[in-house]
Amino acid sequence: MTEKTIPILPCRTLQPVLDFYTALGFEVTFQQKSPNPYAVVERGGIELQFFGMKQYEPAESFSTCYVLTDDVDGLHAAFRTGLKAAYGRIPTRGLPRIGPLKDMSYGVRQFLMTDPGGNCIRIGQPTSEDQHHRPAPEETFARALHHASLFAHSKDDLAGAAKIIDRVLHLEDERPTPVQLLRLLVLRADVARRLGDEETATTALTEAVAVQLTAEERESVRDDLERLEELRD
């Protein structure tokens, strides 16, 4: 037997959603306006279907689906390129938006992308055969990074992530390593920018740039440094 699962996701109107996915390299393979607005987009092995609801509120959406790939870095780069060409910039907050690549604690490298309909498309590549959540580290700052990353890049709870980071950065009796500090500040800036808190984002970015790292340390936080440069642009 062969089965295939196809997500059917809501939106208020179809056209902004179709324009978004077209920018990502998808093809609109079906569209109808009546009796019910409905459309299908496809890119390689990814197929998504959408239906229109006039009373739907994208900003309040909880709709999501997961896409597994064997080249998450390639898709992330291709989607960013397409979005920049279509929108003149890479949207990182509001609707639509695309998040950074992150190595998650449950053995997946992934990014989150939210379309104009408010649907969160999670795209990931397994990096381990064990897909269970890893236990949170015991060390204070490693533990904070673990939980804040899950809140920001899996649960999509930005306020929760900000609270975790702010608490540990204000500890008086413990200090993070330079690598931990860099990662915490970049994540805090990312979260602040997505929340529309430009003052906090600017402060965190300034402090992150000032962190001194060795060449080996810089290599270990390559994804974070790339995100830092993106946020500074």
Side-chain angles (χ1 to χ4, degrees), residues 28-89:
V28 179
T29 57
F30 177 80
Q31 182 176 1
Q32 72 175 26
K33 296 182 179 180
S34 63
N36 300 304
Y38 202 93
V40 179
V41 299
E42 298 182 58
R43 187 187 194 278
I46 307 173
E47 179 177 339
L48 303 172
Q49 300 188 8
F50 300 92
F51 62 97
M53 296 175 59
K54 290 183 179 180
Q55 304 305 316
Y56 183 72
E57 180 49 63
E60 299 177 2
S61 174
F62 291 95
S63 299
T64 188
C65 71
Y66 206 98
V67 175
L68 287 175
T69 177
D70 59 4
D71 186 16
V72 70
D73 286 76
L75 275 183
H76 189 252
F79 287 177
R80 284 166 50 85
T81 298
L83 290 174
K84 187 170 184 178
Y87 294 90
R89 60 181 179 84

Side-chain angles (χ1 to χ4, degrees), residues 172-189:
E172 296 183 356
D173 56 344
E174 294 182 77
R175 295 301 302 165
T177 67
V179 164
Q180 290 172 333
L181 179 59
L182 184 283
R183 295 186 63 200
L184 285 165
L185 289 170
V186 171
L187 182 53
R188 186 64 182 91

Side-chain angles (χ1 to χ4, degrees), residues 186-203:
V186 171
L187 182 53
R188 186 64 182 91
D190 195 349
V191 167
R193 180 68 56 79
R194 290 161 64 186
L195 288 170
D197 183 356
E198 288 298 327
E199 181 178 354
T200 298
T202 299
T203 299

